[in-house]
């Protein structure tokens, strides 16, 4: 069977900025027959995420991420529908997902590595299982619960950087649902800031490209910052940390401003910022959602319930066509999307 797939065409270099041309669309062939235990799936949706930038390097800098190989198919979170099954627990027509879904139109996969989806849990919006009801939502929810130390009634203020992105936009809403009394987002355009406040219930949002971020933070968080959901690192994080309270908490989710630089993960703080962290006893621990998969099922059900109840608003940027996944990746890394970046493959 002839299929289309996307392979890693070139590496941007450890300090380079990724571009669409780092990926290549090509035709390939897969077997015509499905073996026992396998299923043939048609790809419906693929997820494009910031962590993938690390996989473009020969050394990802991480012990849990495998680097993509040149001229080999890329992979990540994906959703598809079963077309043929020789696996006891999967049948034709089932919707399934995997964290290591190949970027190709059709694939033959080991059925034991796939998770069956129930579309009704997300009101039929299957792509949500790659975002707010998937690994992105889990990262936000478990990050807050495991590292944020949020307590209802404690009058805590949360700041979220990268707040209009896939994880940040969910994290701010969950912070409020879990008990924060004030949530402030940091994003890169006035449009994003407006969406955070008007649609997603943030109390306020700062456009970091305009004005004095430190001054705006002092005005919007007069009691200081108790919880910081950090998606970006760099200068923005240094500014937030400088206004954090004693015994406050940083949820170290991502460092997208540092992903195009050859630095360890998590990147070390500048000496002045590190001094503040230590003097104020601010926790800053690496958070990896894969370490909490024993809580996955209950957490996904909680996320789905909030979505069904309208308490968790979901934003997606959907790009049509496998051929455009490289451009979608470049746009996401440049901060051009709002919410989750999804590629729709079936159309």
């Amino acid at each position: 069977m002839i299929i289309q797939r996307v392979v890693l065409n070139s590496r941007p270099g450890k300090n380079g900025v990724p571009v669409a041309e780092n990926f290549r669309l090509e035709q390939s062939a897969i077997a015509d027959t499905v073996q026992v235990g396998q299923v043939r799936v048609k790809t419906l949706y693929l997820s494009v995420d910031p962590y993938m930038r690390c996989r473009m390097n020969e050394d990802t800098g991480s012990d849990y991420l495998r680097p993509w190989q040149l001229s080999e198919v890329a992979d990540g979170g994906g959703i598809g529908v079963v077309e043929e099954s020789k696996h006891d627990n999967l049948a034709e027509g089932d919707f399934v997902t995997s964290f290591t879904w190949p970027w190709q139109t059709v694939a033959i996969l080991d059925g034991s590595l796939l998770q069956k989806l129930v579309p009704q849990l997300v009101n039929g919006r299957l792509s949500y299982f790659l975002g707010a009801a998937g690994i992105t939502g889990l990262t936000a929810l478990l990050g807050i619960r495991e590292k944020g130390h949020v307590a209802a009634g404690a009058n805590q203020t949360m700041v979220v950087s990268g707040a209009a992105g896939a994880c940040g936009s969910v994290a701010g809403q969950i912070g409020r649902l879990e008990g924060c009394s004030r949530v402030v987002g940091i994003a890169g355009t006035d449009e994003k800031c407006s969406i955070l406040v008007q649609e997603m219930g943030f109390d306020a949002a700062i456009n970091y490209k305009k004005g004095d971020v430190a001054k705006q933070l002092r005005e919007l968080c007069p009691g200081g910052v108790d919880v910081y959901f950090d998606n970006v690192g760099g200068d923005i994080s240094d500014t937030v940390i400088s206004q954090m309270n004693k015994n406050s908490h940083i949820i170290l989710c991502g460092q997208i401003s540092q992903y195009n630089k050859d630095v360890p993960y998590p990147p070390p703080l500048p000496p002045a910022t590190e001094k503040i962290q230590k003097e104020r006893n601010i926790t800053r621990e690496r958070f990896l959602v894969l370490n909490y998969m024993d809580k996955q099922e209950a957490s996904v059900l909680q996320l789905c319930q909030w979505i069904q109840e309208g308490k968790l608003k979901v934003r997606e940027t959907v790009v049509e066509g496998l051929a455009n996944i490289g451009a979608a990746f470049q746009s996401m890394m440049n901060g051009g999307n709002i919410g989750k970046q999804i590629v729709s493959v079936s159309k």
Side-chain angles (χ1 to χ4, degrees):
M1 177 184 293
I2 302 300
I3 63 163
Q4 287 188 316
R5 67 177 193 171
V6 170
V7 303
L8 184 65
N9 186 52
S10 59
R11 301 189 189 277
K14 284 191 173 182
N15 298 299
V17 177
V19 294
E21 290 73 23
N22 291 134
F23 299 96
R24 181 176 77 247
L25 180 71
E26 63 181 26
Q27 285 193 334
S28 185
I30 61 172
D32 292 323
T33 57
V34 176
Q35 303 298 319
V36 173
Q38 294 181 328
V39 295
R40 187 177 73 245
V41 292
K42 178 182 179 181
T43 304
L44 299 177
Y45 299 103
L46 294 170
S47 176
V48 180
D49 302 285
Y51 82 87
M52 293 174 171
R53 173 62 183 86
C54 303
R55 301 191 66 187
M56 300 179 79
N57 295 335
E58 291 183 74
D59 178 6
T60 65
S62 170
D63 53 5
Y64 70 95
L65 288 177
R66 181 183 64 83
W68 286 329
Q69 299 301 315
L70 289 173
S71 296
E72 290 190 7
V73 66
D75 68 294
I79 290 172
V81 60
V82 175
E83 293 187 323
E84 182 181 351
S85 175
K86 289 189 178 178
H87 188 277
D88 291 341
N89 297 327
L90 296 173
E92 181 181 346
D94 283 346
F95 295 105
V96 291
T97 187
S98 168
F99 192 59
T100 56
W101 196 285
W103 286 8
Q104 56 192 59
T105 50
V106 179
I108 295 177
L109 304 175
D110 182 345
S112 65
L113 302 179
L114 300 174
Q115 180 180 356
K116 192 185 299 186
L117 300 175
V118 181
Q120 292 83 353
L121 290 176
V122 288
N123 302 321
R125 298 292 298 270
L126 275 171
S127 58
Y128 284 9
F129 284 116
L130 292 178
I135 198 74
T136 304
L138 286 171
T139 300
L141 177 58
L142 292 172
I144 289 169
R145 287 184 172 176
E146 299 296 329
K147 300 295 184 181
H149 302 277
V150 173
N155 196 33
Q156 292 166 298
T157 294
M158 172 185 280
V159 171
V160 183
S161 58
C167 199
S169 60
V170 174
Q173 296 179 77
I174 292 176
R176 173 60 55 75
L177 289 166
E178 290 288 283
C180 287
S181 59
R182 186 163 183 79
V183 178
V184 176
I186 302 175
T189 69
D190 289 342
E191 178 192 10
K192 291 178 179 180
C193 290
S194 176
I195 288 170
L196 292 174
V197 175
Q198 299 300 325
E199 292 186 18
M200 298 183 170
F202 284 62
D203 293 283
I206 297 170
N207 181 348
Y208 70 87
K209 296 180 181 178
K210 287 186 175 181
D212 187 330
V213 174
K215 179 182 178 182
Q216 293 178 76
L217 269 176
R218 284 192 294 270
E219 294 171 350
L220 294 172
C221 308
V225 178
D226 302 295
V227 184
Y228 173 38
F229 200 99
D230 184 6
N231 287 304
V232 302
D235 294 341
I236 293 295
S237 290
D238 294 339
T239 301
V240 176
I241 293 169
S242 71
Q243 298 190 32
M244 294 186 73
N245 294 322
K246 189 175 182 180
N247 300 321
S248 55
H249 305 283
I250 299 169
I251 303 165
L252 192 57
C253 178
Q255 302 281 277
I256 193 170
S257 73
Q258 307 298 301
Y259 286 168
N260 293 327
K261 301 176 183 179
D262 184 13
V263 295
Y265 187 87
L269 296 172
T273 305
E274 185 178 16
K275 182 180 179 182
I276 291 172
Q277 181 208 347
K278 291 181 177 179
E279 288 178 347
R280 299 180 192 173
N281 193 35
I282 301 170
T283 64
R284 182 181 183 257
E285 300 170 346
R286 181 178 180 181
F287 172 73
L288 178 60
V289 69
L290 298 178
N291 290 337
Y292 300 91
M293 285 297 97
D294 59 314
K295 302 181 180 180
Q296 177 185 13
E297 185 175 354
S299 299
V300 167
L301 290 175
Q302 174 65 87
L303 292 164
C304 290
Q305 180 181 336
W306 281 335
I307 291 170
Q308 290 176 337
E309 293 172 347
K311 294 178 179 178
L312 190 59
K313 308 295 184 183
V314 182
R315 270 271 185 161
E316 293 180 319
T317 301
V318 180
V319 175
E320 300 289 345
L322 184 62
N324 296 315
I325 199 167
F329 186 87
Q330 179 179 345
S331 175
M332 179 269 302
M333 288 300 299
N334 289 334
N337 60 295
I338 298 174
K340 184 70 178 183
Q341 183 88 43
I342 299 287
V343 174
S344 176
V345 178
S346 60
K347 296 180 181 179

CSV table of all heavy atoms in Angstrom, one decimal, residues 133-151:
chain,number,residue,atom,x,y,z
A,133,ALA,N,-7.9,17.4,26.8
A,133,ALA,CA,-8.3,16.1,27.4
A,133,ALA,C,-7.2,15.0,27.1
A,133,ALA,O,-7.5,13.8,27.3
A,133,ALA,CB,-9.6,15.6,26.8
A,134,GLY,N,-6.0,15.5,26.8
A,134,GLY,CA,-4.9,14.6,26.5
A,134,GLY,C,-3.7,14.9,27.3
A,134,GLY,O,-3.8,15.4,28.4
A,135,ILE,N,-2.5,14.7,26.7
A,135,ILE,CA,-1.3,14.9,27.5
A,135,ILE,C,-1.1,16.3,27.8
A,135,ILE,O,-0.5,16.6,28.9
A,135,ILE,CB,-0.1,14.3,26.6
A,135,ILE,CG1,1.2,14.1,27.5
A,135,ILE,CG2,0.2,15.3,25.5
A,135,ILE,CD1,1.1,12.9,28.4
A,136,THR,N,-1.6,17.3,27.0
A,136,THR,CA,-1.5,18.7,27.4
A,136,THR,C,-2.3,19.0,28.6
A,136,THR,O,-1.8,19.7,29.5
A,136,THR,CB,-2.0,19.5,26.2
A,136,THR,OG1,-1.2,19.2,25.0
A,136,THR,CG2,-1.8,21.0,26.4
A,137,GLY,N,-3.6,18.6,28.6
A,137,GLY,CA,-4.4,18.8,29.8
A,137,GLY,C,-3.8,18.1,31.0
A,137,GLY,O,-3.9,18.7,32.2
A,138,LEU,N,-3.3,16.9,30.9
A,138,LEU,CA,-2.8,16.2,32.0
A,138,LEU,C,-1.5,16.9,32.5
A,138,LEU,O,-1.4,17.0,33.8
A,138,LEU,CB,-2.3,14.8,31.5
A,138,LEU,CG,-3.4,13.8,31.3
A,138,LEU,CD1,-2.9,12.5,30.7
A,138,LEU,CD2,-4.1,13.4,32.6
A,139,THR,N,-0.7,17.5,31.7
A,139,THR,CA,0.4,18.2,32.1
A,139,THR,C,0.0,19.4,33.0
A,139,THR,O,0.6,19.7,34.0
A,139,THR,CB,1.3,18.7,30.9
A,139,THR,OG1,1.7,17.5,30.2
A,139,THR,CG2,2.5,19.5,31.3
A,140,ALA,N,-1.0,20.1,32.5
A,140,ALA,CA,-1.5,21.3,33.3
A,140,ALA,C,-2.1,20.9,34.6
A,140,ALA,O,-1.7,21.4,35.7
A,140,ALA,CB,-2.5,22.0,32.4
A,141,LEU,N,-3.0,19.9,34.6
A,141,LEU,CA,-3.7,19.5,35.8
A,141,LEU,C,-2.7,18.9,36.8
A,141,LEU,O,-2.7,19.3,38.0
A,141,LEU,CB,-4.8,18.5,35.5
A,141,LEU,CG,-5.6,17.9,36.6
A,141,LEU,CD1,-6.2,19.0,37.5
A,141,LEU,CD2,-6.6,16.9,36.1
A,142,LEU,N,-1.9,17.9,36.4
A,142,LEU,CA,-1.0,17.2,37.3
A,142,LEU,C,0.1,18.1,37.7
A,142,LEU,O,0.6,18.0,38.9
A,142,LEU,CB,-0.5,15.9,36.7
A,142,LEU,CG,-1.6,14.8,36.5
A,142,LEU,CD1,-1.1,13.7,35.7
A,142,LEU,CD2,-2.1,14.4,37.8
A,143,GLY,N,0.5,19.0,36.9
A,143,GLY,CA,1.6,20.0,37.2
A,143,GLY,C,1.1,20.8,38.4
A,143,GLY,O,1.8,21.1,39.4
A,144,ILE,N,-0.1,21.3,38.3
A,144,ILE,CA,-0.7,22.2,39.3
A,144,ILE,C,-0.9,21.4,40.6
A,144,ILE,O,-0.6,21.9,41.7
A,144,ILE,CB,-2.0,22.8,38.8
A,144,ILE,CG1,-1.7,23.9,37.8
A,144,ILE,CG2,-2.8,23.4,40.0
A,144,ILE,CD1,-2.9,24.4,37.0
A,145,ARG,N,-1.4,20.2,40.5
A,145,ARG,CA,-1.7,19.4,41.7
A,145,ARG,C,-0.5,18.9,42.4
A,145,ARG,O,-0.4,18.8,43.6
A,145,ARG,CB,-2.6,18.2,41.3
A,145,ARG,CG,-4.1,18.7,41.0
A,145,ARG,CD,-5.0,17.5,40.8
A,145,ARG,NE,-6.4,18.0,40.7
A,145,ARG,CZ,-7.4,17.2,40.4
A,145,ARG,NH1,-7.2,15.9,40.1
A,145,ARG,NH2,-8.7,17.7,40.4
A,146,GLU,N,0.5,18.5,41.6
A,146,GLU,CA,1.7,17.9,42.1
A,146,GLU,C,2.8,18.9,42.5
A,146,GLU,O,3.6,18.6,43.5
A,146,GLU,CB,2.3,16.9,41.2
A,146,GLU,CG,1.4,15.7,40.8
A,146,GLU,CD,1.1,14.8,41.9
A,146,GLU,OE1,1.9,14.7,42.9
A,146,GLU,OE2,-0.1,14.3,42.0
A,147,LYS,N,2.9,20.0,41.8
A,147,LYS,CA,4.0,21.0,42.1
A,147,LYS,C,3.5,22.4,42.5
A,147,LYS,O,4.3,23.2,42.9
A,147,LYS,CB,4.9,21.1,40.8
A,147,LYS,CG,5.5,19.7,40.4
A,147,LYS,CD,6.5,19.2,41.4
A,147,LYS,CE,7.2,18.0,40.9
A,147,LYS,NZ,8.2,17.4,41.9
A,148,GLY,N,2.2,22.6,42.3
A,148,GLY,CA,1.8,24.0,42.5
A,148,GLY,C,1.3,24.3,43.9
A,148,GLY,O,1.3,25.4,44.4
A,149,HIS,N,0.9,23.2,44.7
A,149,HIS,CA,0.5,23.4,46.0
A,149,HIS,C,-0.6,24.4,46.2
A,149,HIS,O,-0.7,25.2,47.1
A,149,HIS,CB,1.6,23.7,47.0
A,149,HIS,CG,2.8,22.8,46.9
A,149,HIS,ND1,2.8,21.6,47.7
A,149,HIS,CD2,3.9,22.7,46.2
A,149,HIS,CE1,3.9,20.9,47.4
A,149,HIS,NE2,4.6,21.6,46.5
A,150,VAL,N,-1.6,24.3,45.3
A,150,VAL,CA,-2.8,25.2,45.3
A,150,VAL,C,-3.8,24.7,46.3
A,150,VAL,O,-4.1,23.5,46.4
A,150,VAL,CB,-3.4,25.3,43.9
A,150,VAL,CG1,-4.7,26.1,43.9
A,150,VAL,CG2,-2.5,25.9,42.9
A,151,ALA,N,-4.3,25.6,47.1
A,151,ALA,CA,-5.2,25.3,48.2
A,151,ALA,C,-6.4,26.2,48.1
A,151,ALA,O,-6.2,27.5,48.2
A,151,ALA,CB,-4.6,25.3,49.5
